[in-house]
Amino acid sequence: LTLSARVKSNTDTKMNLTIKQKLTVARNFAVEIPIEILHFLVVPFALLACDEKSENLPRWAAWFDDPDYGINGDDGWRNEHFPNGKNRTYWARLCWLYRNRIGNFSAKYLGVRVEDIDANTVRTQGDVFATYNKGQKNTFCLVTCKMKDGRERFGYYREIRYGKSKWYCRIYLGWKLMDVVGMRQDNKAEYMDENDKKVLQTVWAVNPFKRIKQ
């Protein structure tokens, strides 16, 4: 189902992260940044061991692979950036993995398994359609939940437009919980079909110069 069919929009515009949530982002950053640095060094060599038919990196470099789409990218990547099989070239694979770094590591050690989310605890504040905004206005969304073992997880997404310019700042922190906006116990299965991600990775991305798409 589409997002609009799953949940109604909430346009509350005042929400900041708690100290605990900020510390969680800092902890995830401290854990992952050394692995990310290693990623930039290992992946160029790991790809040399892949042929045109390969779908994934060698097992010894599995931490740096993408858990959902491997080394060849998703449909958008293949159709928009490297069509006609060019996504299987060394350069295309390198660009894909540099864009989607340490996916397997993040999913295995820090990721949120969708099936382990207590659907009764999923809460959303702000604009549930924030990721579709693309810089058109200032917006944010905070999604929180608890896992079945009681651990708390959150995803904070925000866009800040620079006046009337063509640029905006995009912020995404915590976990990629925008994928489970609107989850309830009675519709949890809708978020776990074959087209949905089984594990939601950590995220600490700040892009201060995103171009507004009209």
Side-chain angles (χ1 to χ4, degrees):
L1 293 179
T2 63
L3 181 59
S4 60
R6 289 173 171 177
V7 67
K8 294 181 179 179
S9 177
N10 177 349
T11 57
D12 179 14
T13 58
K14 296 181 179 180
M15 176 55 59
N16 294 312
L17 295 180
T18 65
I19 293 178
K20 181 179 180 181
Q21 290 168 337
K22 292 177 180 178
L23 290 175
T24 298
V25 173
R27 182 201 65 187
N28 290 347
F29 177 84
V31 170
E32 292 189 351
I33 194 63
I35 310 299
E36 290 227 4
I37 293 174
L38 190 61
H39 176 102
F40 282 99
L41 300 175
V42 171
V43 166
F45 295 99
L47 284 174
L48 293 175
C50 300
D51 60 27
E52 186 178 357
K53 296 181 179 180
S54 297
E55 299 292 339
N56 299 97
L57 290 175
R59 291 184 63 184
W60 57 268
W63 275 7
F64 312 109
D65 212 338
D66 184 280
D68 299 305
Y69 304 104
I71 61 178
N72 297 311
D74 59 16
D75 289 341
W77 181 258
R78 292 192 294 267
N79 296 331
E80 296 178 20
H81 301 284
F82 294 95
N84 302 320
K86 294 180 180 179
N87 63 302
R88 291 181 175 270
T89 62
Y90 179 90
W91 175 245
R93 288 168 167 174
L94 183 65
C95 290
W96 170 256
L97 293 178
Y98 272 5
R99 179 182 179 183
N100 300 276
R101 300 179 296 277
I102 65 170
N104 277 340
F105 175 88
S106 177
K108 182 177 181 179
Y109 295 104
L110 297 174
V112 167
R113 292 178 60 84
V114 176
E115 65 180 355
D116 292 337
I117 294 175
D118 181 351
N120 291 320
T121 68
V122 177
R123 300 289 183 271
T124 304
Q125 300 178 65
D127 180 7
V128 299
F129 301 105
T131 55
Y132 298 91
N133 183 59
K134 308 301 181 185
Q136 299 301 313
K137 62 180 180 180
N138 293 335
T139 191
F140 92 99
C141 187
L142 175 66
V143 186
T144 59
C145 71
K146 288 186 178 181
M147 310 303 291
K148 291 180 179 179
D149 61 6
R151 291 177 299 166
E152 296 182 355
R153 294 291 182 259
F154 71 93
Y156 179 70
Y157 182 91
R158 185 174 181 182
E159 291 184 3
I160 305 170
R161 182 166 180 168
Y162 301 130
K164 296 182 179 180
S165 74
K166 297 181 179 180
W167 303 93
Y168 70 100
C169 178
R170 178 181 181 273
I171 302 169
Y172 202 174
L173 304 173
W175 283 264
K176 295 182 178 180
L177 296 190
M178 291 297 293
D179 288 359
V180 295
V181 166
M183 177 186 282
R184 305 182 306 273
Q185 191 60 49
D186 63 348
N187 69 358
K188 184 174 180 179
E190 298 171 6
Y191 295 78
M192 300 176 60
D193 65 27
E194 60 181 9
N195 296 317
D196 288 317
K197 295 180 179 179
K198 303 299 183 290
V199 180
L200 306 179
Q201 299 175 32
T202 57
V203 60
W204 34 272
V206 178
N207 187 336
F209 295 110
K210 289 279 289 183
R211 191 175 182 87
I212 295 172
K213 296 182 178 180
Q214 300 298 332

